[in-house]
Amino acid sequence: MKLTTLTIVVPCYNEAEVLPTSAETLRQILQNMIDIKQLSQKSKILFVNDGSRDKTWSLIQQLERDNALFTGLKFSRNFGHQNALMAGMKVASYQEGNEVVLGVRNDRSSDSHFKRWTAEAFYGLMGKMGVQLVPDHADFRLLGQRAIDVLMEYQETNLFLRGIVPQLGFNTEKLYYQRKPRLAGETKYPLKKMLSFAFDGITSFSIAPVKAIMSLGILVIGISLIMVIYAIVRFFTGNVISGWTSLMTSLWFLGGIQLVGISVIGEYIGKIYAEVKHRPRYIIEQDDYTPTQQAAQTAQLNEMVGAS
């Protein structure tokens, strides 16, 4: 029986303090799976050094020298953990029954109240915008070779893998885990980066904000029309402030027209935005249309044409 080859891709950015502990934990897990014949001896732990400024890369090199299970990939500068994951997957291979296995947190008890609230708000907002996300799924996942091949067809620069991977549509399984507190070092995602990451996710998968602006513009125009009717009624009742009605109505009406105009331009920009991403038009999970079937269907079609 051919054993599966597994490569664990680990992005690293200034992780010198925690890397030795994490490396040993991963080594024990991988080595145990190799020993009991669950995985091939070709399996690896691939650390992607994302432009670290501390001793992360020298530690990775030391790990490579000490144990053949470890290997490393070094970026010339910091490109972000999403690109680090893509680079790691490009040089790795994994094959299993499920093409996609997602690591999902089973609770957020270790998070602060503010972080829990913002996370729930983000997933809720993305869901309302029509973006398929798996709540509490971070960047722990296993991808089969077919899933990786399809993922590499997504050529966009601003990556949001948490939104892209669920779009692949392959047979997917969720694996729940409990996240432990960080042993050393500090988080690389403070509030500012979290907000930037959330904004990338929203703008990468939805033009709903543009549509919301158009709806707001239509609402403003509607209010201006109501004001016109109100002004006419006030005129016939003789209770009129000179110039106020025409000024306010004009402001509201022109403001609404501007919002609608911006939204129309935004729709065209949104179509350009979708085109330049070069995402695959469709993904084929299974192709049962064999040459034999094709030949049979062609012969059947020829008979039908001849009979007519």
Side-chain angles (χ1 to χ4, degrees), residues 86 149-159 164 167-168 204-205 269-283:
M86 286 291 282
D149 291 341
V150 173
L151 185 60
M152 292 303 157
E153 295 183 27
Y154 286 75
Q155 301 176 13
E156 52 210 74
T157 301
N158 297 314
L159 288 168
I164 293 177
Q167 284 192 345
L168 301 181
S204 294
F205 282 89
I269 295 175
K271 293 182 185 298
I272 297 172
Y273 148 94
E275 290 291 335
V276 298
K277 283 181 175 292
H278 299 298
R279 290 177 177 174
R281 291 186 178 90
Y282 52 82
I283 299 170

Side-chain angles (χ1 to χ4, degrees), residues 36-287:
I36 62 177
K37 306 298 183 183
Q38 284 187 336
L39 294 175
S40 165
Q41 293 185 354
K42 296 180 180 179
S43 299
K44 296 282 185 180
I45 301 169
L46 171 59
F47 292 106
V48 182
N49 182 39
D50 187 19
S52 298
R53 296 188 297 270
D54 60 3
K55 297 181 180 180
T56 297
W57 180 241
S58 61
L59 288 174
I60 293 173
Q61 290 179 307
Q62 184 63 47
L63 289 169
E64 287 183 284
R65 291 191 290 267
D66 293 342
N67 195 307
L69 287 178
F70 296 112
T71 186
L73 184 66
K74 182 182 180 184
F75 280 177
S76 60
R77 61 177 178 84
N78 179 254
F79 287 93
H81 83 282
Q82 299 286 284
N83 286 307
L85 287 168
M86 286 291 282
M89 286 186 288
K90 193 170 184 178
V91 299
S93 175
Y94 170 76
Q95 296 179 356
E96 185 53 82
N98 292 302
E99 280 295 316
V100 181
V101 180
L102 304 178
V104 182
R105 293 179 61 177
N106 57 6
D107 69 81
R108 284 186 168 270
S109 58
S110 60
D111 290 347
S112 65
H113 177 74
F114 176 75
K115 191 168 185 178
R116 286 198 301 270
W117 179 82
T118 52
E120 292 171 0
F122 171 70
Y123 287 117
L125 179 62
M126 294 293 281
K128 290 180 180 178
M129 290 185 176
V131 183
Q132 297 179 3
L133 288 183
V134 178
D136 297 328
H137 162 57
D139 285 311
F140 300 107
R141 61 180 69 91
L142 295 175
L143 297 179
Q145 188 61 54
R146 286 188 302 166
I148 291 176
D149 291 341
V150 173
L151 185 60
M152 292 303 157
E153 295 183 27
Y154 286 75
Q155 301 176 13
E156 52 210 74
T157 301
N158 297 314
L159 288 168
F160 188 68
L161 293 176
R162 300 183 195 188
I164 293 177
V165 172
Q167 284 192 345
L168 301 181
F170 290 115
N171 188 24
T172 302
E173 185 64 39
K174 297 178 184 178
L175 179 64
Y176 292 91
Y177 69 95
Q178 184 176 10
R179 195 181 78 170
K180 296 182 179 180
R182 172 183 278 269
L183 295 177
E186 59 183 14
T187 178
K188 305 307 181 295
Y189 265 81
L191 180 60
K192 183 179 178 181
K193 278 195 174 183
M194 287 175 59
L195 292 174
S196 176
F197 187 61
F199 185 76
D200 283 342
I202 293 171
T203 55
S204 294
F205 282 89
S206 177
I207 58 171
V210 176
K211 295 182 181 295
I213 293 173
M214 176 173 284
S215 300
L216 178 61
I218 294 172
L219 176 63
V220 171
I221 291 175
I223 292 174
S224 69
L225 294 176
I226 293 173
M227 291 183 67
V228 169
I229 296 173
Y230 172 76
I232 293 173
V233 172
R234 299 283 287 182
F235 175 78
F236 283 108
T237 58
N239 189 1
V240 178
I241 300 176
S242 179
W244 181 87
T245 302
S246 59
L247 177 62
M248 296 304 296
T249 302
S250 299
L251 287 175
W252 280 81
F253 184 76
L254 290 175
I257 291 295
Q258 288 175 343
L259 288 174
V260 171
I262 291 171
S263 299
V264 171
I265 296 172
E267 287 286 342
Y268 282 99
I269 295 175
K271 293 182 185 298
I272 297 172
Y273 148 94
E275 290 291 335
V276 298
K277 283 181 175 292
H278 299 298
R279 290 177 177 174
R281 291 186 178 90
Y282 52 82
I283 299 170
I284 299 175
E285 181 173 0
Q286 183 175 349
D287 183 8

